Amino acid sequence: MNIYFDETQAVSDEILRKMEEAAAYGAELENLDDERCEISVTFVDMEEIHELNKLHRGVDKPTDVLSFPQFEDVCEEAPEEGEICLGDVVICREKAAEQAEEFGHSFEREILYLFVHSVLHLLGYDHMEEGEKKVMRAREEKIMEHIDVLRD
């Protein structure tokens, strides 16, 4: 899995390693060759995520993470050869820190959860309907367990 980080100093090397492991495992679970997959990750401040959320989703407030998938159905649309650009992930560190405190767990766990959640969006998962939400939540838990990040 190739992950291109806009600003690698935004999180620790351990978090970066776990992000790479999580993304690779997520791709494997979808029967994608993780060696061919790539994701772009950008860490932004509250103001920038607010603007992006407003521009792309029409929601005039900050959010924690945004996903910009390259494919509607990656398993059907991905090229048979060459790199598979899954899409872009944008994470707000400030919002993640707020939520970690609110939920009573570590900043690292919150960042990793947001990333896993976003990767699943890039892989075609959604949570608009209850059935979809259950499937997506189960996949999130499986990936979080795989990278040994359990609920605090």
Side-chain angles (χ1 to χ4, degrees):
M1 175 66 65
N2 293 315
I3 301 181
Y4 300 99
F5 295 98
D6 184 45
E7 185 183 326
T8 57
Q9 298 305 317
V11 293
S12 71
D13 288 343
E14 177 66 12
I15 291 175
L16 295 177
R17 187 190 64 72
K18 285 191 180 273
M19 289 171 83
E20 290 169 346
E21 184 180 350
Y25 185 60
E28 287 175 24
L29 290 173
E30 299 304 313
N31 298 311
L32 294 170
D33 180 357
D34 68 285
E35 293 293 321
R36 293 179 49 220
C37 294
E38 63 180 44
I39 296 171
S40 169
V41 178
T42 305
F43 294 95
V44 298
D45 62 21
M46 199 77 82
E47 183 178 318
E48 189 167 353
I49 200 97
H50 184 156
E51 286 302 314
L52 290 169
N53 202 24
K54 186 175 169 183
L55 177 66
H56 294 284
R57 295 181 59 230
V59 179
D60 192 11
K61 65 179 186 177
T63 190
D64 48 10
V65 65
L66 292 169
S67 310
F68 299 97
Q70 183 71 28
F71 304 101
E72 205 166 301
D73 185 340
V74 68
C75 293
E76 292 291 322
E77 300 173 38
E80 291 185 27
E81 295 181 15
E83 294 204 354
I84 303 169
C85 178
L86 296 176
D88 304 309
V89 173
V90 180
I91 300 173
C92 179
R93 282 179 42 91
E94 293 168 76
K95 193 74 169 162
E98 283 179 8
Q99 289 177 175
E101 188 173 319
E102 177 184 334
F103 298 139
H105 55 241
S106 69
F107 172 74
E108 291 79 9
R109 185 195 188 289
E110 185 67 13
I111 287 285
L112 288 165
Y113 172 78
L114 293 174
F115 178 73
V116 166
H117 181 86
S118 200
V119 167
L120 288 174
H121 280 307
L122 299 184
L123 292 169
Y125 287 81
D126 210 342
H127 47 81
M128 299 304 287
E129 297 177 15
E130 192 58 36
E132 293 175 331
K133 186 176 183 177
K134 286 181 181 179
V135 170
M136 187 171 179
R137 185 59 39 101
R139 189 54 55 110
E140 288 169 351
E141 292 294 327
K142 185 173 185 135
I143 294 170
M144 294 293 282
E145 285 178 19
H146 179 80
I147 62 171
D148 200 29
V149 178
L150 308 175
R151 292 186 184 268
D152 292 342

